[in-house]
Amino acid sequence: MKNKPVLDNNNKEREARRTSLLSNPQFWSIVVIFVLITLHYYDNLTSFRLFAEPDLPLGITRHTIDRILYLVPIILSSLIFGPKGGKITVLIAFLAMLPRSLLISVEPLSALWETVVITLIGSLAPAGLDRYRQQEIQLEATKERLESTERELFSKVQLSIEQQRQLSVINTFSRMLSQSLEFEQVMSTTVDMVMGVMQVEVVIIFSLDDDGVLRVVSYRGIQEESAVSLDGMRLGEGLSGRVAETGQPLIIEDVSAEPKLCNLPIAVESLKTELCVPLMAHGKIMGTLFVASRMEREFASPDVELLMALGNLVGVAMRNAYLYCDREIAAAQLKSSEKRYRQLFENAHDAIWVQDLTGTITAANTAAAELFGCSLSELVGVDSHQFFLHRDYTVSSAIQEDLLSGKGEVSQEPFRQKITKKDGTEAIIMLTTNLLSSNSHPDGFQFIGRDITKEVRMQENQSFYLQQITKAHEDERLRISRDLHDSTAQNIIAMLRQVEKFSEENTQFSDDKLKFLWSLHAELKETLQEIRELSRDLRPSVLDNLGLLPAVEWLVEQLKNDHSIKATLEVTGKDHRFAPELEITLFRIIQEALRNITKHSLASEVKVNIELNDGETMVTICDNGQGFNLPVTTGELSRQGKLGIDGMQTRARLVGGTFSIVTNPGEGTTINVTIPA
């Protein structure tokens, strides 16, 4: 009894599929065609004939053409209902042809042979179509997995870069606070750095005096009138007053939902999200650090922790500024700040080391020792150059020279660097360099590095995997193209010659019969032409036999002849054959670009320029079509189902090339591809 609902559901599904099939006009069209062919095939039993024709010479019966006609419903079923429908139709056709071949035909062996041949030919349609569809599905699934992996890697790299940037800011911020006791200068610099690292529009620093009143000491992003009205808040008033009272950070995700914590001037400034942390020094609340955004923003735990760390440093700076005349207290505060920095330095997940101007490592954390594959005691005091490959040290040396020349105190962007560990193995790190100075004189450099070897290897494996998929795709195109040319096309040519010979030798037929035979001959000829064009599109033989330039000339001529577009090809440089993978890559990129022009651009003129240089090959494809709005990244086109541009870019990247596209609505489109020779 438990299985009864399942059986009922299965019966309902089968009944629904049966009803859908019976209501399909295409299904009934195929049934009608099949029935008419069968009635004509058994005309001696049914007295029904679509057309009349005498027996053919050379032992071929008049029913040969009747059996060939069974290919029509087989091909239609394969196209409409898929491989399963094609296979069922092949089986039914075989069963329909078999009785006459065995029981009625005068020459049963010959008739049976014809029946088997027609059945085998018909079986190729569903089998070939099924294989092609499966390959397309597999390639699409693989591409989706690769895109997902690429997005994940990009997210991790972005997170790593952001963490490195934040750590560098904290380091520079700490050094700045420890080197200056000028209160206004420190507070102004603090506001600017907090605004940059937290990426907010509003920053306010409040100090808490002995009477429990909050004073605005520095701010950015609000009007002066708002800052004046905020000055003088007491403990418990508004968001900053609450934080100063409790000593705990507080977040308001929606200002409009917390009117009691929102002071009137802040509401006038149209703020959406607020975060406030206390400024602590030796367990005492020195004030509050307030940040806000005018857009909806979610402050995560790392944001709060980072602002708390900066707030502690600001609190220490405040206390140092207030007590700068007392040297002992100032020294204690500086020692506390250094201790916090030392803890941050030693416990950081990224490798951090300091070296003097000669390259000798003077300080390092545990993560740096693990990065270089040695103990901390072994690392400090050694020459750092022994860990770097000389041929790959050029970028790092250039950055150090720029810092020493006064072009900046911190390198703007992290850069990739190869190192050699103590055991001789190589690793790839993402490196940031800072200049360390005292009394305006450079003392050395601080490096912050993160091991990205696994990420790089994963990207390399991803590229290799995609190359293999692309190669397999091209090999399969070549195989299908050859099969169509060597097998299917040759079979149709043989049939063409049979029909042509039969028609020419039997001139005594009526005009209607001859007209039918020659129309059949024309249809077979058109089918042959379509198969040849399909074979050329899959893999043009001119590309394998003559090379890239003749193949591109063929594409340009085809564009002019088939679409009436004024197309020109200009080649500069010495012609030569490329490696097979480079030839097929450039050909597919140009083929896809020209195909997109015919489908979407409405262009009347196309120019293809190929520049052959010693070290690289540059291809430019320009049209005067309608152009389009190009998204920020080509990946957005893929998500919209427009895979052509993304496919061209992927092919160029796989062979170490570059791809760019310039377009605007009404201004045409220009594609530039550069491939190393």
Side-chain angles (χ1 to χ4, degrees), residues 32 38 57 105 179 218 221 309 333 345 418 488-489 574 597 619 646 655 676:
V32 171
T38 303
S105 177
Q179 292 173 359
S218 188
Q333 296 294 338
F345 175 83
K418 288 186 178 180
T488 307
K574 186 177 180 181
I597 290 173
V619 177
D646 187 49
V655 293

Side-chain angles (χ1 to χ4, degrees), residues 201-233:
E201 291 85 8
V202 176
V203 177
I204 308 174
I205 297 179
F206 294 90
S207 66
L208 181 63
D209 60 21
D210 296 334
D211 296 330
V213 178
L214 291 171
R215 299 294 182 183
V216 177
V217 297
S218 188
Y219 64 91
R220 294 286 189 279
I222 61 173
Q223 300 177 8
E224 184 177 357
E225 295 80 3
S226 299
V228 172
S229 63
L230 288 174
D231 189 69
M233 286 192 306

